[in-house]
Amino acid sequence: MLKLVGFDGDDTLWHSEGYYREASAQFGAIIGRYVDVGDAHVQAGMLATERRNLKLFGYGAKGMTLSMVETAIAITDGRISAADIHRLIEVGKGVLQHPVELLPGVREAVATVAEQHAVVLITKGDLFHQEKKVAQSGMADLFRRIEIVSEKDAGTYRRVLAEFALEPAQFAMVGNSLRSDIEPVVRLGGWGVHMPYHVTWEHEMENGLGEADAPHMLTIDAPVAIPSAIAQLALRAAR
């Protein structure tokens, strides 16, 4: 029996990646004064630096900002001016200050699911930034528990389930990332509702899911479909 449903935050409940894409474009405009931003090595360098820094800075706008500064200094051979480094910091601050805009119909969808199941929010990123987004979303009252974590992997989901004294088969996760929201849960024996966002960070697109995992997950295209997807998975879990 399905007893607990988890929801991701960024790009599942509210818009997020678009602000990071805008920041990336601003980064390109700034360093374009020094190097050819059309060069694939420049883009690859930024992504490689972000990935390398994840274990140091974690996910979120602050880590992205530090990675932008590090990349800019490296690819310009130290020629970037202090003024332009300051501009990069302002770009990062802009991401931290962006408004919280819910996906259409998502509050209603979560509220409907909450009528039948306990619901929790499991989101990763910078603690202060995520706390601010949760507060501004106006959705905190819907969740039995709010978990802001540094990584969403099997260990994280095991801990959450243990605190609720539940088995993986009693849990379903709703999110836009196959890597972070769906694969770890399905691998544990849980259920996943994948709701792709129109843009996704390359790092989150990497996953090892295959045809054998299909019975434990559903893919939908909008929040309005979340309640029916959870109902379908609840039927599968009850068999």
Side-chain angles (χ1 to χ4, degrees):
M1 179 181 295
L2 200 61
K3 293 187 176 181
L4 182 68
V5 178
F7 286 86
D8 169 50
D10 292 344
D11 299 321
T12 298
L13 301 183
W14 50 73
H15 297 284
S16 176
E17 181 62 21
Y19 296 106
Y20 286 88
R21 294 296 175 102
E22 183 179 341
S24 180
Q26 291 176 282
F27 169 78
I30 292 169
I31 65 167
R33 303 169 188 171
Y34 303 89
V35 297
D36 177 11
V37 293
D39 189 335
H41 292 295
V42 173
Q43 298 299 325
M46 178 64 182
L47 182 59
T49 301
E50 282 188 294
R51 285 176 167 168
R52 186 171 63 249
N53 287 340
L54 282 176
K55 292 183 178 180
L56 289 173
F57 306 142
Y59 293 90
K62 293 176 185 176
M64 178 203 69
T65 303
L66 289 169
S67 292
M68 285 196 302
V69 170
E70 181 181 341
T71 300
I73 293 171
I75 65 179
T76 64
D77 294 322
R79 292 181 294 114
I80 189 168
S81 69
D84 281 336
I85 289 177
H86 179 69
R87 290 187 181 96
L88 291 176
I89 293 172
E90 290 301 310
V91 169
K93 287 182 178 179
V95 176
L96 287 168
Q97 295 167 347
H98 72 71
V100 174
E101 180 185 359
L102 297 180
L103 272 66
V106 77
R107 180 181 172 86
E108 295 80 2
V110 175
T112 299
V113 173
E115 292 174 359
Q116 302 294 327
H117 310 280
V119 296
V120 294
L121 174 62
I122 308 175
T123 186
K124 69 180 179 183
D126 177 78
L127 177 62
F128 290 168
H129 194 198
Q130 292 301 103
E131 285 182 335
K132 178 183 175 183
K133 286 192 279 189
V134 171
Q136 292 182 350
S137 74
M139 296 186 66
D141 61 300
L142 296 175
F143 297 104
R144 183 76 60 87
R145 189 185 189 98
I146 295 172
E147 291 277 347
I148 300 173
V149 300
S150 58
E151 185 62 89
K152 284 156 70 170
D153 53 18
T156 294
Y157 291 111
R158 282 195 194 97
R159 177 179 58 78
V160 173
L161 291 171
E163 290 174 359
F164 279 87
L166 295 176
E167 296 297 323
Q170 297 172 306
F171 175 67
M173 183 69 186
V174 181
N176 70 295
S177 170
L178 288 171
R179 175 192 176 95
S180 296
D181 302 318
I182 308 302
E183 183 173 15
V185 174
V186 169
R187 289 281 179 265
L188 288 173
W191 310 87
V193 176
H194 180 222
M195 187 173 69
Y197 193 65
H198 66 277
V199 288
T200 303
W201 185 30
E202 290 89 339
H203 179 73
E204 292 296 337
M205 295 176 68
E206 301 171 355
N207 68 89
L209 292 166
E211 291 184 9
D213 302 302
H216 273 251
M217 58 181 288
L218 292 170
T219 299
I220 59 175
D221 59 8
V224 68
I226 293 174
S228 61
I230 291 297
Q232 290 181 56
L233 291 180
L235 288 175
R236 294 182 189 181
R239 292 171 185 167

